[in-house]
Amino acid sequence: MADPFLWIVDNELVIPGVRDARTFLHVSDAHLCVSDEGSAPAEAAEAAGWDARWMKTKEEFARHFGEPFGEAQRVSTREAFDRILAWAREEGPEALLLSGDNLERMHPAGERYLSRRLREYGGPFLCVPGNHEAEACPGAWESGVRTLEYGDFRIVAVDDRLMTVSDEALDRLAALAAEGLPMILVCHVPVAASGNREKMRRFGGYFAIDGETADGNGRRFVRFLEEADAVRMVLCGHIHGYSDTEIVPGKRQITASQGMIGFVHRLTVRGGAA
Ligand SMILES: [Fe+2]
């Protein structure tokens, strides 16, 4: 029987020229709140407080977006993440893609826990930081643009947690795109671009990098996603609800809902006619 905790949404991305179909699991906003034997009493109490707050808030998000929420979802952030990882291990995807707010905030027990769990998971993974996190977390993610290479396409991790992207990252993205290999971008904050501006704006200004922002790097990032032929899809999170919009016609941006309620986006990339 299907686990009532998990909510799996399937999508497919066709990239002409891709030889082997590959499946990825995309998870976002796990917001892990963790304490362990190394936590001081005050740290443990603080983590328990964050977890209690999410128990309420994640339900409010789920109700707001009309997403499944029941008894099965009333588990701690830690249990939620463990159950997703246990299932992912059985699934054995090409890679696990974690699109940010993996931790509720940077805290030593949470960082220890996340890096240990990912090591135990054993398979390939790619994490980006969210707005609750720092630019690097040893064992989970490093700073800068990073890629997973598959020969006929690549997955590219970009840090946009501060609602902008650094000059260095933008230059690196442009260089990767110039190579012409199709790419799927993974970042935390979605964009409001020419094709999805009205829909994304409805979530509120805090929830997307708008192509009309006053920030030059933010505008350059959105224009890059709109115009670079190499970019075929954007995977992100941040809004705590599932959405599937088009940056420009034919180029989808998918926000994974919150991992805290058992949401997993399963993406299959395959070849074929566009
Ligand atoms: Fe979040």
Side-chain angles (χ1 to χ4, degrees), residues 209-222:
I209 299 174
D210 202 297
E212 294 173 354
T213 170
D215 169 55
N217 283 28
R219 285 200 306 276
R220 192 176 150 202
F221 181 53
V222 177

Side-chain angles (χ1 to χ4, degrees), residues 29 31 101 188 238 240:
D29 296 271
H31 284 271
D101 284 1
H188 181 61
H238 188 50
H240 289 225

